Amino acid sequence: IDNLTLDAHPIEQAIVIKYHVDNARSHRSSECQKLVNLKDLNDDVDVRQLADVVMEKCTIIPEGMRQEVEQILYYLQNRNKRASKFGSYIELFYEETAEKNRGALLIFELTKTTANLEILIENETLIGALARVFREDWKKNFDLATTIIRIFVQFSFYNQFQATLSHHKIGALCMNAMEYEMKRGELWAAEAVNADEKTARKCRLAIRKQQTLLAACITLLTNLAHDINVELKMVRRDVVPILLKCLSFRESSELTLATVQFLLKLSIFEENKTVMEQGDIIGKLLQLFPIGDVELRKATIRLLFNLSFDAKSRRRMVSEGLVAHVAPLIDSDAKALNLLYQLSVDDDAKAMLTFTDAMQLLMRDLLTGNGSEATKAILLNACAEKRNAQLVCGHDGQGSLLMDAAIDGRDLMVAKIVRSIASHEGPTQDMFVVRSIHPLHSTGMMNAVMQEDENMALGLEFLGTAALIKVADWSRCVKLLLKCCLYWVVIMCGTMARQVDAARNLVPLLEVFLQLLHTMQEDDEFVVQLLYLFLQLLRHRELANRLMGADSALGAYVIDLMHDKNPAIREMCDNALVIIGEHSQEWARRIAAERFRWHNAQWLDTIEGGVACDEGAVMDDDYLPGMMFDDQFDDGFDLGSDEPLY
């Protein structure tokens, strides 16, 4: 025997023993179960002595599990006590109204302990009695009806208990009660207006109790609507119009909260939203502001967010001043931030943002690195309004910080915000002129030619921003712009030259590239890219003949740069000279002679004057003073066997 476990029977007064038995013949393990019935277990039984009896009669239970046996016995004994209490509580439901109310309150207290819920819901007599009393007495006694509904609410929080509630048609009872009470409430309200003070006071008291009952019913229906089929049944019984009427009863915060929460759940369906809009839900929700209750405020914001996807509803929210109520909340409520984004799509909302603290709050979050995508999106929409763009730029260098966030952070959304600001003429463009016009050009060009979509989009945003700056001194920027353009054109040509068909079309432009090399010789990065282009052209055998004639200027330029201080340039030259030397013996002699001349000069300087070599110069031991060359010389620049020349 192994894997032995003990548990209390869910209904009977018994211990369930489960274990596995190994069969030596079949080499299989079978699962077995035994029940230890404890029919005589009551409040007077000594649990420890009973545990001794159980251990004695059930020899398969090991001694080490004695404590577990005692715990199960204690549980069964207490459950038995509770069951006997339930019976006495149920009997109260057959007494007068006061006793019924006392019984309901006692049951309600039990439901506050989660461990009791399963025992209570399994008691068919109890649930049936509660449903019967509610059906018979809810019109006569609000307190009793409210307590019973609250008992059902405790069960409805758990999905596994909702089937039992549906079986007893608790949801239908709630709908009936709500429909009736809405009509009765209207009559009481009308009567309170025209009646004497005493009658009016009674009507107002009845209405308050009625609203408490309605709040409990709505909470129960909200939980039961977890099942979409149940929710559809409620919708077909016009639960949405009923809720909209309840939304007008603002005296009860409990009822308002329950109503808004249920409407929030229903608002995910377009059909329900249409009914809500027809019932003026926007106007009723806006009348709730300002909302002090945090839970109600959050639920209302979420409901308005769901409704804000309709353009007509969104315009209504803006026109009735919702922006001013939502703007202060964005610092503490993410849903308020999302709602403000929805509202900021409207042009009137953009103008209203100017008169709130929203712009300062949004910029603070953005510049401190805490800004979400919604934060950036609101700023992007808001900066379409010139006054908001001026607020973003500020007087303390805030605009420059925004530029830094866009360029250094490579943030596309922030780049869009910057471009939106740049679209406005006037003081806001000054921040671009002072510091940012050159970075915009260079960063824009650098990213615009990259293959990645994100980099390209970022580059285009920067270039688009620069194109909007009308007050810049463009005469100073032209050279930089042309240089950036040429630089990336050369890089592109270097890539193209790797393919022989494209390289053929580039050969006629050799003089242009050489002139560019002469012009940009002080810019090492530019020179490296041009040398890379030449190297790719030389790798094609058929093109090398055209490029490396006896009077080729290309070879002369490469030889001239072979001793440059920049290691990247020297590396490019060395690679090119290897190919040139392999191609032509004449050029090989000239290369070797230049190398000899250079190293001989270095050696003479060292011997005669002790002058150190230039920093970065390369000494080549393959070429020593006094070397003689003939037609069969070997310049030592052969490529490796695993490195093809062409």
Side-chain angles (χ1 to χ4, degrees):
I1 295 175
D2 57 2
N3 295 332
L4 188 144
T5 60
L6 303 177
D7 200 358
H9 194 281
I11 300 175
E12 303 293 336
Q13 290 288 88
I15 298 176
V16 181
I17 305 174
K18 294 182 180 180
Y19 56 94
H20 289 83
V21 177
D22 295 329
N23 191 318
R25 293 183 177 180
S26 62
H27 301 288
R28 292 184 179 180
S29 176
S30 58
E31 185 175 346
C32 301
Q33 177 176 303
K34 281 189 176 183
L35 288 181
V36 180
N37 290 305
L38 306 165
K39 295 182 179 180
D40 296 330
L41 179 62
N42 54 48
D43 298 348
D44 299 327
V45 172
D46 188 323
V47 170
R48 292 188 177 181
Q49 292 182 3
L50 181 58
D52 292 337
V53 175
V54 171
M55 296 293 294
E56 181 181 349
K57 292 188 176 182
C58 298
T59 56
I60 61 174
I61 302 177
E63 184 63 29
M65 300 185 72
R66 170 183 288 275
Q67 186 176 1
E68 188 173 349
V69 171
E70 291 182 4
Q71 290 176 349
I72 294 174
L73 292 174
Y74 275 120
Y75 170 77
L76 291 172
Q77 190 178 51
N78 291 329
R79 190 176 72 177
N80 194 25
K81 292 179 183 179
R82 290 194 296 268
S84 61
K85 286 183 180 180
F86 297 159
S88 62
Y89 295 163
I90 293 172
E91 291 177 1
L92 294 174
F93 292 131
Y94 296 93
E95 303 295 335
E96 297 299 324
T97 301
E99 292 300 306
K100 290 178 182 178
N101 198 25
R102 188 169 73 88
L105 289 171
L106 291 170
I107 296 294
F108 180 56
E109 286 300 317
L110 289 175
T111 60
K112 293 180 180 179
T113 303
T114 306
N116 295 332
L117 291 176
E118 187 171 2
I119 301 170
L120 291 169
I121 198 71
E122 290 173 353
N123 193 318
E124 289 284 337
T125 305
L126 173 63
I127 303 301
L130 289 170
R132 175 186 59 80
V133 172
F134 180 81
R135 187 183 302 108
E136 294 174 355
D137 294 352
W138 63 266
K139 295 179 183 179
K140 298 179 288 185
N141 191 319
F142 281 128
D143 293 334
L144 175 60
T146 301
T147 303
I148 292 175
I149 291 297
R150 284 175 173 170
I151 292 172
F152 291 141
V153 167
Q154 294 295 106
F155 293 125
S156 69
F157 286 125
Y158 301 89
N159 296 338
Q160 62 267 36
F161 301 149
Q162 292 181 6
T164 302
L165 299 179
S166 298
H167 174 72
H168 289 275
K169 302 186 182 302
I170 304 302
L173 286 175
C174 280
M175 287 297 302
N176 293 337
M178 289 177 63
E179 291 169 352
Y180 180 85
E181 292 302 333
M182 294 302 296
K183 296 176 182 177
R184 186 160 65 166
E186 292 175 358
L187 295 176
W188 282 343
E191 183 180 352
V193 173
N194 301 318
D196 56 75
E197 181 61 26
K198 183 178 180 180
T199 304
R201 189 163 53 250
K202 287 183 179 180
C203 289
R204 288 193 293 269
L205 177 61
I207 290 173
R208 282 199 299 272
K209 290 187 175 183
Q210 181 190 62
Q211 291 178 356
T212 303
L213 173 61
L214 288 172
C217 289
I218 291 172
T219 303
L220 175 59
L221 293 177
T222 303
N223 294 340
L224 294 178
H226 176 78
D227 185 338
I228 189 63
N229 294 317
V230 175
E231 181 178 318
L232 290 174
K233 291 179 181 179
M234 297 179 190
V235 171
R236 284 195 288 268
R237 290 194 60 174
D238 294 331
V239 71
V240 176
I242 293 175
L243 292 172
L244 292 175
K245 290 181 180 178
C246 291
L247 202 57
S248 303
F249 303 150
R250 292 189 294 276
E251 298 85 0
S252 172
S253 59
E254 182 183 4
L255 175 59
T256 303
L257 176 60
T259 302
V260 171
Q261 288 176 334
F262 197 7
L263 286 170
L264 172 61
K265 187 179 189 312
L266 294 170
S267 66
I268 63 176
F269 292 102
E270 195 66 33
E271 298 81 1
N272 295 337
K273 287 168 64 176
T274 302
V275 178
M276 293 178 192
E277 290 161 3
Q278 292 171 352
D280 191 29
I281 187 173
I282 302 298
K284 292 177 179 178
L285 289 174
L286 292 178
Q287 289 177 8
L288 300 177
F289 285 92
I291 305 173
D293 185 275
V294 176
E295 190 174 1
L296 175 59
R297 185 175 65 229
K298 288 185 176 182
T300 305
I301 291 292
R302 293 174 65 190
L303 176 55
L304 286 168
F305 175 74
N306 285 357
L307 298 172
S308 67
F309 288 89
D310 178 74
K312 184 178 178 181
S313 298
R314 189 167 58 244
R315 287 193 296 270
R316 174 83 182 278
M317 295 177 195
V318 173
S319 64
E320 297 200 13
L322 182 59
V323 173
H325 292 297
V326 175
L329 305 177
I330 62 175
D331 199 29
S332 58
D333 189 345
K335 288 298 179 183
L337 186 69
N338 294 341
L339 175 58
L340 187 61
Y341 165 71
Q342 289 289 100
L343 299 178
S344 68
V345 175
D346 188 270
D347 290 339
D348 291 338
K350 296 181 180 71
M352 293 178 183
L353 285 172
T354 308
F355 305 100
T356 69
D357 294 332
M359 304 307 297
Q360 288 78 4
L361 294 174
L362 293 168
M363 283 300 296
R364 183 199 63 190
D365 289 345
L366 179 61
L367 296 178
T368 55
N370 298 320
S372 64
E373 290 302 307
T375 301
K376 300 171 188 176
I378 296 172
L379 282 170
L380 177 59
N381 289 343
C383 286
E385 172 69 29
K386 186 173 183 178
R387 288 174 295 181
N388 290 333
Q390 292 172 345
L391 287 175
V392 168
C393 293
H395 301 288
D396 54 356
Q398 195 169 255
S400 298
L401 294 176
L402 188 65
M403 284 295 306
D404 294 340
I407 295 175
D408 299 337
R410 301 179 58 79
D411 192 312
L412 182 60
M413 282 295 292
V414 179
K416 289 179 180 291
I417 296 170
V418 171
R419 185 175 181 179
S420 181
I421 295 172
S423 65
H424 301 292
E425 297 181 3
T428 53
Q429 291 203 355
D430 293 342
M431 75 169 186
F432 299 98
V433 177
V434 175
R435 294 184 52 188
S436 307
I437 197 69
H438 290 174
L440 281 173
H441 282 153
S442 58
T443 309
M445 290 298 300
M446 184 183 303
N447 287 275
V449 297
M450 291 185 178
Q451 295 182 354
E452 295 84 358
D453 291 342
E454 184 177 350
N455 289 328
M456 185 179 296
L458 187 65
L460 292 176
E461 287 296 333
F462 288 144
L463 291 176
T465 302
L468 293 170
I469 310 302
K470 300 178 181 179
V471 296
D473 186 358
W474 285 107
S475 61
R476 297 182 179 181
C477 302
V478 170
K479 290 184 178 180
L480 176 63
L481 181 60
L482 291 176
K483 180 180 176 181
C484 290
C485 292
L486 290 173
Y487 176 75
W488 288 105
V489 168
V490 170
I491 291 178
M492 182 173 63
C493 290
T495 302
M496 294 166 56
R498 296 171 65 91
Q499 299 179 4
V500 65
D501 292 336
R504 291 192 191 99
N505 296 324
L506 293 174
V507 170
L509 300 175
L510 180 62
E511 291 299 326
V512 176
F513 292 132
L514 291 175
Q515 181 61 39
L516 188 59
L517 178 62
H518 177 73
T519 305
M520 307 301 298
Q521 58 184 327
E522 299 299 327
D523 190 329
D524 286 356
E525 191 172 353
F526 218 116
V527 172
V528 168
Q529 296 301 332
L530 283 167
L531 288 173
Y532 177 81
L533 168 61
F534 298 149
L535 179 62
Q536 299 308 316
L537 293 174
L538 290 169
R539 288 186 184 277
H540 303 293
R541 182 183 296 274
E542 64 178 88
L543 302 180
N545 294 328
R546 298 168 59 185
L547 295 173
M548 295 308 302
D551 299 326
S552 172
L554 174 58
Y557 272 111
V558 175
I559 290 175
D560 186 54
L561 293 170
M562 63 188 293
H563 302 299
D564 194 272
K565 294 181 180 180
N566 189 310
I569 293 178
R570 292 200 305 270
E571 181 181 0
M572 285 292 176
C573 289
D574 287 342
N575 292 334
L577 290 173
V578 168
I579 298 176
I580 293 172
E582 289 286 340
H583 171 73
S584 167
Q585 289 191 1
E586 175 62 27
W587 277 105
R589 291 192 187 93
R590 294 173 64 175
I591 294 169
E594 174 59 25
R595 289 185 183 275
F596 173 74
R597 185 196 64 77
W598 174 263
H599 292 297
N600 191 44
Q602 298 296 317
W603 182 79
L604 290 175
D605 288 342
T606 303
I607 296 299
E608 295 177 0
V611 180
C613 298
D614 290 344
E615 182 181 357
V618 178
M619 298 295 293
D620 193 338
D621 293 336
D622 290 340
Y623 296 91
L624 299 176
M627 284 186 64
M628 299 297 292
F629 297 95
D630 56 20
D631 292 343
Q632 286 77 36
F633 78 97
D634 181 359
D635 61 4
F637 285 91
D638 293 334
L639 293 174
S641 59
D642 58 345
E643 184 179 357
L645 177 59
Y646 298 101

